[in-house]
Amino acid sequence: MKAVTKRAAILATLFATPALSCPDGSITLVSCTLKEGAKYLETCLMGDHATYAFGTAERRPDLALARHVDEVEMTPWPGVGREIWEDFTFHNGETSYRVHYSIDRFSEPGDGLSGGVTVLKGQEPLAQLECDPGSVDAGYPLPLWDAKEAGSLSR
């Protein structure tokens, strides 16, 4: 399937999917509610594409992006420090959406997981939204890194 056609099919699936529910067959990267449940952030891995959705709770996303994993920048955890963290960035023209999560390695099980998104225009931050406590669904390691490596090996 052509990349443009595949991306359109993925976006159609995203717009049809309720908030905080990655489509069947996909893997959640980072998802959470924001602004006391009024908004949501959801990122998923669908084969060789990563998706980003942001919107108002219980509605279709206000913004949905689908990018081949090679088009998504990722910073994997470097292996040191109290926190395990990773971030990845979706680009949309001059605007970028950097999604992050972190886990405090010394917290009690079920605690210490946080996340959010930073919106940038070029290098200028436009917004920084933190996930509501207790709403983050993510985990180390993100399968995005493996998908990116698999994509680069298949070429």
Side-chain angles (χ1 to χ4, degrees), residues 123-136:
Q123 297 299 316
E124 182 75 25
L126 298 177
Q128 184 164 343
L129 302 170
E130 294 300 317
C131 294
D132 295 334
S135 73
V136 182

Side-chain angles (χ1 to χ4, degrees), residues 1 5 25-26 41 69 89 91 95 101 104-105 108 116 127:
M1 184 183 302
T5 306
S26 64
L41 166 69
V69 294
T89 304
H91 297 283
T95 306
Y101 81 96
D104 183 333
R105 298 191 307 160
E108 294 295 318

Side-chain angles (χ1 to χ4, degrees), residues 12-86:
T13 302
L14 268 182
F15 275 110
T17 304
L20 294 178
S21 175
C22 284
D24 288 341
S26 64
I27 301 167
T28 299
L29 296 173
V30 175
S31 71
C32 68
T33 60
L34 307 122
K35 297 189 174 195
E36 299 177 355
K39 299 284 185 179
Y40 69 90
L41 166 69
E42 179 180 73
T43 58
C44 309
L45 181 63
M46 299 175 70
D48 60 359
H49 278 72
T51 63
Y52 172 97
F54 177 86
T56 302
E58 306 302 321
R59 295 194 179 167
R60 292 181 179 169
D62 298 328
L63 175 65
L65 304 171
R67 300 289 183 262
H68 190 276
V69 294
D70 290 342
E71 297 174 38
V72 179
E73 293 176 17
M74 182 178 175
T75 306
W77 180 53
V80 295
R82 177 183 178 119
E83 304 233 343
I84 296 172
W85 60 270
E86 295 177 306

